[in-house]
Amino acid sequence: MQKKLIALAVASLASGAAFAQTNVTIYGIADAGYVYSSGDPIKGVAGTNTFSGIVSGILSGSRLGFRGEEALGNGLKAIFTLEYALNIDTNAGLGYSGSSTGLNSRQQFVGLSSATLGTVALGRQYSPGYQATANNDPMGGALVESQSFLSNNAGYTITPNSPARWDNALTYTTPNWSGFSAKAIYSFGETQDAFGTYNDKNVSVTDNSKWALGANYANGPLNIDVVYQARDNIRPTGTPAINSFDTQEWYVGGSYDLKMVKLMGSWQGMNVSNSTRLINNSQVDSQLWQIGAVIPVLSASNIHLGYAQLMMDGNNKAVIPLTGDSQSATLAWTTALSKRTTFYAGYVWAQNDKKSIAAAPVGGGILTGAIGARGEDSNTLTAGLRHSF
C-alpha cells in the first residue's frame, strides 16, 4: 500500500488526471555481490586471467520499474510497464546505456489486457524463452548459473538474459486456462540500408526480424515449457543480403517440486543457416542441456545444484572451428533474511574444449573472454545480497 501511495504521489506531479485515473506501482530490485573469478588464458599466454570486484545483479538483475493500469470498462484495461536496469556497482543504469545514446531498459511496453481475451502489447518485451529458462533453472536465471551464461555466451535468444529482450515487438499473451498459457511475439527488424533509407532494393522489411511461440503449463508441483524462436535475414545495417543468415531455436524444459527437493531440466538447440559464410564461424549449430535441483534446508534456506553442457556443431574447416563442448557446474546457497531480502553465495566451475567457445560466468564470449578461454578451465566464487521492493 505504501509503495502505491508513493507512486501515485510521483505520478501526480506530472499529471493530476493520471493521479485520479491510473493505478501506478513502483517496484525494483537492488542486488550486488563480490565476485572472484580465475582461469588460465589460452595456450601460450603466461599468467592467469583473474577478476576480483563488486558486480551488480548476480542473483537477479538490479532494476527500477513502473507499471500501471487503467480500467476502460467491460473487463478491458490499458496497461504499461517501464523497467530499467541499474548497475549499482558502477553508478550506471537508469537513463544510461554505457554509450552516448539509448536507455538501459529491460522492458518498455504499452497494451490492452482482458481477463477473458488475453493481452496485446507493443514495445520492448521479453520473448517466451526468457521466462521459460528462468522457470526451469535451479537459480531462476541468475547471472552465474550454468545454463544462463552458457546460452548467453553461445548466442542463444532462448536465455534468461538480454538477448531475450526484443525491441519493436508486438505480443499476444493468452489468459491462463487452468494452468495453461501461451505467448506469441514478433519483433520488426526496421533495418536501414547503407544510405540510411528503407529502399526495398537494398533491404527487406523482414531483415533482422524475430518471432517466437511459447507455451507454459504450471499446475501444482509441475511446470512445463515449450518454446520456438526464430531470427530472419540477420545482417548488420548496409551489408549485402548474400551474407545474411537465419537461426531457429527450440527449447523443452520442466520442473517438479517433491517438497523435499525440486528437480528440473531442459534441452535446447540452435540451427544456423549460411553459417559457413561467416568469417570466423562465430554462430553455429549447437545444443545445450542442463539438470538441476533446489533442496530446502533449515527454515529459510536452499541449496542449489546445477550442471549444463553446451555442444557446438560448427564447420571444422572454418578459420576458427567450433566443434567442441563446454560444460559447467554450479553449487549455491540462498537464505531468506526476510520476505524481501536474500543472502546468497556460490561456486561455479567451467571447462571449455579447445574447439569450443570461451565460456565463463564473468567475462565469457564466443571466441575470447576476459576470464573464459578455449581449452581451459575457470573457477568463480561469489557472495552477495538481494533486496526487492
Side-chain angles (χ1 to χ4, degrees):
M1 176 62 71
Q2 186 178 12
K3 289 191 297 180
K4 292 187 176 181
L5 289 174
I6 294 172
L8 289 172
V10 173
S12 68
L13 297 177
S15 172
F19 177 85
Q21 297 176 6
T22 304
N23 179 16
V24 180
T25 300
I26 298 176
Y27 65 94
I29 292 175
D31 181 323
Y34 171 74
V35 173
Y36 178 86
S37 189
S38 177
D40 294 328
I42 59 175
K43 186 177 181 180
V45 177
T48 300
N49 294 338
T50 303
F51 172 87
S52 176
I54 304 302
V55 175
S56 176
I58 298 172
L59 188 60
S60 301
S62 298
R63 71 200 69 172
L64 176 65
F66 307 84
R67 57 173 170 250
E69 61 181 45
E70 180 186 14
L72 302 177
N74 297 319
L76 188 64
K77 298 183 295 184
I79 61 170
F80 77 90
T81 292
L82 304 172
E83 183 179 293
Y84 303 99
L86 300 173
N87 298 322
I88 62 177
D89 59 324
T90 60
N91 191 32
L94 181 64
Y96 178 71
S97 64
S99 63
S100 60
T101 60
L103 292 171
N104 198 17
S105 65
R106 292 169 57 89
Q107 50 179 337
Q108 303 181 104
F109 63 84
V110 63
L112 296 173
S113 180
S114 166
T116 57
L117 299 177
T119 301
V120 175
L122 302 96
R124 177 174 169 84
Q125 302 175 70
Y126 292 147
S127 68
Y130 187 98
Q131 191 59 52
T133 49
N135 287 343
N136 307 299
D137 184 302
M139 294 188 68
L143 174 68
V144 296
E145 204 284 320
S146 299
Q147 187 277 341
S148 176
F149 77 81
L150 285 177
S151 60
N152 191 36
N153 288 175
Y156 281 86
T157 64
I158 299 180
T159 179
N161 295 286
S162 290
R165 301 183 183 104
W166 293 0
D167 294 339
N168 310 314
L170 169 65
T171 63
Y172 170 70
T173 306
T174 70
N176 189 305
W177 296 306
S178 301
F180 175 82
S181 61
K183 182 176 183 178
I185 183 171
Y186 184 82
S187 169
F188 294 85
E190 301 183 6
T191 302
Q192 295 181 334
D193 61 20
F195 303 101
T197 69
Y198 297 96
N199 191 302
D200 62 4
K201 179 181 179 181
N202 303 311
V203 296
S204 168
V205 293
T206 62
D207 284 352
N208 293 312
S209 62
K210 311 170 189 175
W211 62 276
L213 298 171
N216 170 260
Y217 179 77
N219 197 347
L222 178 65
N223 179 86
I224 299 174
D225 287 279
V226 178
V227 178
Y228 178 83
Q229 297 189 175
R231 290 171 282 175
D232 298 328
N233 301 332
I234 302 170
R235 62 187 178 104
T237 298
T239 59
I242 193 173
N243 292 327
S244 67
F245 62 101
D246 305 329
T247 67
Q248 294 81 40
E249 299 177 46
W250 61 91
Y251 173 96
V252 177
S255 64
Y256 196 87
D257 194 346
L258 298 169
K259 301 303 181 182
M260 68 174 72
V261 59
K262 184 176 183 180
L263 302 174
M264 58 204 65
S266 66
W267 184 284
Q268 65 188 103
M270 176 165 60
N271 178 265
V272 183
S273 69
N274 271 1
S275 62
T276 56
R277 292 180 177 174
L278 301 179
I279 296 175
N280 288 329
N281 204 24
S282 60
Q283 192 161 43
V284 301
D285 296 357
S286 62
Q287 297 182 62
L288 170 61
W289 64 272
Q290 67 95 15
I291 54 175
V294 180
I295 306 171
V297 293
L298 304 177
S299 60
S301 300
N302 292 293
I303 297 173
H304 305 256
L305 303 170
Y307 175 82
Q309 183 179 28
L310 172 69
M311 299 168 286
M312 309 300 292
D313 187 21
N315 177 10
N316 196 43
K317 297 181 180 180
V319 176
I320 301 179
L322 289 172
T323 57
D325 299 345
S326 292
Q327 54 186 321
S328 172
T330 301
L331 170 62
W333 175 284
T334 58
T335 296
L337 303 179
S338 70
K339 290 184 178 180
R340 297 181 180 177
T341 303
T342 300
F343 167 80
Y344 58 86
Y347 165 74
V348 184
W349 166 81
Q351 181 184 67
N352 304 308
D353 290 346
K354 292 181 179 180
K355 293 185 178 181
S356 186
I357 64 174
V362 178
I366 290 288
L367 299 176
T368 60
I371 300 298
R374 306 177 82 205
E376 300 295 345
D377 298 1
S378 67
N379 297 276
T380 301
L381 294 170
T382 184
L385 198 66
R386 177 187 68 185
H387 178 78
S388 61
F389 60 91

